[in-house]
Amino acid sequence: MANATDHLWMHFTRMASYATDEVPTIVRGEGAYVWDAQGRRYLDGLAGLFVVNAGHGRTELAEAAAKQSAELAYFPLWSYAHPTAVELAERIATLTPGDLNRVFFTTGGSEAVEAAWKLARAYFKRVGKPVKHKVISRYIAYHGTSMGALSITGLPGIKTDFEPLVPGAIKVPNTNFYRAPEHGDSPEAFGRWAADEIGRAIEREGPDTVAAVFLEPVQNSGGCFPPPPGYFERVREICDAYDVLLVSDEVICSWGRLGEYFGAQRYGYQPDIITTAKGITSGYAPLGAMIASDRLMEPFLTETGMFAHGVTFGGHPVSCAVALANLEVFAREDLVGHVRANEDAFRATLEKLHDLPIVGDVRGDGYFYGIELVKDKTTRETFNEAESERLLRGFLSTALFQAGLYCRADDRGDPVVQLAPPLIAEQQQFDEIEQILRAVLTEAWQRL
């Protein structure tokens, strides 16, 4: 729309880039596809923003929202309850691993991460360990944009404008095996080293000061880093040894993205807290949650106990109703099983791109993949800052979209193309993704 830049301040957007160009405006979605204002169709290769897991155009989710709005549009969860929040919390507790039975609703992922850090601090104060307040997270990892979540985030480029941030957020190496600084010949040894770096960080900071470790099952920023074998098992051992909470940040990785309801189930570890959002409603309404173990709730069950935290729209009745309808779709169509049945085909289709000289690595799990781009496949030489700017923002982002594929071309870390299609995607969509990527990446290489 011609007037989109007059009043709309878009998120993470270089507004000057639309000084002369029209802002792409998406007006409709159906299944795995969206259409713009000019009627052009695009394959949604990112599920909106790792969100629209059940696919676009689900009228039953819209109808659930309308029905709930007419019955009870809003009421807070501050000392009161409403039926959809109660039912959804119970439903979530049946799906989570272990004793993660306590569901604290938010409106999105950053708020869920913020709530988890606050809970970790408040919990340790109540059990007689008031100095435990620091958190450990991984380099390049993204955990949100509110001030606490941004402090946990490991991306310097999106933090500098807002510093100083909340103190006490410590960074450790991530699990990018393609660029492993140690043990690059053994995933198992690399995983042990990367996990042990968390233990070393706890020792450096002082175990009595560290409250929690925040980890994504598959790290998003940097381009989809899966955990090496044994990594999370070792992290769990370290957290137990030092009485540190393990927070599984599953804002992206939950609700089928990795072929399980939660990524922790995919990789066989037990977190103390799960943070989630995005796919819980497939994006049809905003909702997030911090899901905590029964143990973490216990200190707040005294006569005067209270977790002094809350947000106005956390657990909104309409959002909870949509989430319940979304989970009905998941169960009826076995979307989680659909991902497990098709993930090998998705991987194999993307791995065809290895024959291109610009493709260095294809990595990920489930329906969540990153393709790292390189200047030299043999040496794994990456692009410098100016080259990456020309490649990603000067060509790839626009070219892929114009070719009919909406995805993410990013250089938070090394240059990557990220893919996370709706969970309904099948071989037809995999082939379409591969064909568009092949054509555009071939042209990109010729332009270098």
Side-chain angles (χ1 to χ4, degrees):
M1 299 174 69
N3 61 349
T5 58
D6 292 346
H7 305 287
L8 179 62
W9 198 332
M10 290 173 283
H11 299 202
F12 283 107
T13 300
R14 296 181 179 183
M15 297 296 291
S17 63
Y18 294 115
T20 56
D21 295 334
E22 187 171 326
V23 177
T25 305
I26 303 302
V27 298
R28 183 169 69 88
E30 184 66 34
Y33 298 90
V34 294
W35 284 258
D36 68 13
Q38 283 72 45
R40 292 186 292 258
R41 191 187 79 164
Y42 306 88
L43 173 56
D44 185 357
L46 205 63
L49 193 62
F50 316 102
V51 171
V52 191
N53 288 9
H56 298 275
R58 294 279 190 173
T59 56
E60 62 263 55
L61 302 191
E63 289 166 357
K67 182 176 182 293
Q68 181 60 46
S69 295
E71 188 172 291
L72 178 66
Y74 174 75
F75 208 79
L77 294 178
W78 300 43
S79 301
Y80 299 89
H82 55 75
T84 56
V86 173
E87 184 179 353
L88 179 59
E90 182 181 15
R91 181 71 177 273
I92 290 172
T94 68
L95 299 173
T96 51
D99 68 340
L100 274 69
N101 296 315
R102 305 294 183 159
V103 183
F104 184 95
F105 287 116
T106 65
T107 59
S110 292
E111 286 180 355
V113 169
E114 201 86 16
W117 192 1
K118 291 181 77 171
L119 175 60
R121 289 183 168 207
Y123 168 79
F124 281 117
K125 281 183 170 59
R126 279 162 176 74
V127 297
K129 298 184 178 182
V131 183
K132 290 177 81 72
H133 67 283
K134 298 175 185 175
V135 293
I136 293 173
S137 59
R138 295 182 292 203
Y139 179 59
I140 309 179
Y142 177 88
H143 292 283
T145 54
S146 57
M147 292 301 277
L150 186 61
S151 302
I152 299 172
T153 290
L155 292 162
I158 68 169
K159 300 166 71 165
T160 53
D161 278 352
F162 313 108
E163 292 174 329
L165 298 175
V166 181
I170 315 304
K171 304 299 177 288
V172 295
N174 57 47
T175 60
N176 182 1
F177 184 64
Y178 184 66
R179 299 196 175 277
E182 300 279 348
H183 306 293
D185 58 342
S186 170
E188 292 80 5
F190 172 65
R192 176 74 181 215
W193 171 84
D196 283 344
E197 283 295 296
I198 294 173
R200 284 187 275 271
I202 294 172
E203 284 287 350
R204 286 193 301 270
E205 295 299 319
D208 290 342
T209 71
V210 179
V213 175
F214 281 71
L215 303 173
E216 297 167 279
V218 172
Q219 182 173 317
N220 169 35
S221 289
C224 301
F225 305 146
Y231 175 78
F232 274 110
E233 180 181 4
R234 178 58 180 153
V235 171
R236 182 70 266 180
E237 291 175 354
I238 291 168
C239 289
D240 289 342
Y242 292 110
D243 193 17
V244 170
L245 304 182
L246 175 54
V247 181
S248 189
D249 185 356
E250 306 212 15
V251 171
I252 289 175
C253 291
S254 51
W255 312 114
R257 179 57 55 192
L258 299 177
E260 297 285 352
Y261 275 100
F262 295 95
Q265 295 162 326
R266 169 76 189 237
Y267 301 116
Y269 65 94
Q270 180 60 51
D272 300 293
I273 298 174
I274 286 176
T275 54
T276 186
K278 294 186 184 287
I280 191 172
T281 65
S282 286
Y284 285 70
L287 186 67
M290 174 192 67
I291 311 165
S293 69
D294 289 329
R295 173 173 70 100
L296 299 183
M297 179 68 142
E298 287 176 6
F300 301 94
L301 295 177
T302 62
E303 185 175 344
T304 59
M306 178 180 66
F307 180 41
H309 179 57
V311 289
T312 300
F313 292 113
H316 192 286
V318 175
S319 295
C320 290
V322 171
L324 286 165
N326 182 53
L327 292 180
E328 286 302 315
V329 171
F330 268 68
R332 184 177 71 241
E333 300 183 13
D334 189 18
L335 292 183
V336 174
H338 181 79
V339 172
R340 288 197 301 270
N342 289 278
E343 65 174 344
D344 289 344
F346 188 33
R347 177 190 292 272
T349 303
L350 294 178
E351 287 181 340
K352 293 179 182 179
L353 297 168
H354 270 306
D355 65 350
L356 298 180
I358 198 173
V359 173
D361 194 27
V362 177
R363 55 181 178 253
D365 276 322
Y367 275 23
F368 190 29
Y369 274 85
I371 300 170
E372 183 168 334
L373 309 179
V374 294
K375 288 173 68 174
D376 188 306
K377 291 170 75 81
T378 303
T379 65
R380 302 185 181 182
E381 181 184 0
T382 191
F383 298 91
N384 62 38
E385 186 174 347
E387 291 167 336
S388 184
E389 176 73 19
R390 291 196 303 271
L391 174 66
L392 297 178
R393 282 165 286 279
F395 176 70
L396 273 183
S397 293
T398 301
L400 287 167
F401 191 68
Q402 290 177 342
L405 176 62
Y406 167 70
C407 60
R408 170 180 277 178
D410 193 23
D411 60 351
R412 294 183 293 180
D414 296 298
V416 295
V417 175
Q418 280 189 288
L419 298 156
L423 308 189
I424 59 172
E426 297 180 327
Q427 191 62 51
Q428 175 186 341
Q429 285 75 42
F430 306 158
D431 289 339
E432 190 174 344
I433 289 171
E434 190 271 339
Q435 290 159 12
I436 293 174
L437 283 171
R438 177 171 296 276
V440 175
L441 290 176
T442 298
E443 183 178 352
W445 181 256
Q446 293 168 349
R447 285 169 170 258
L448 291 174

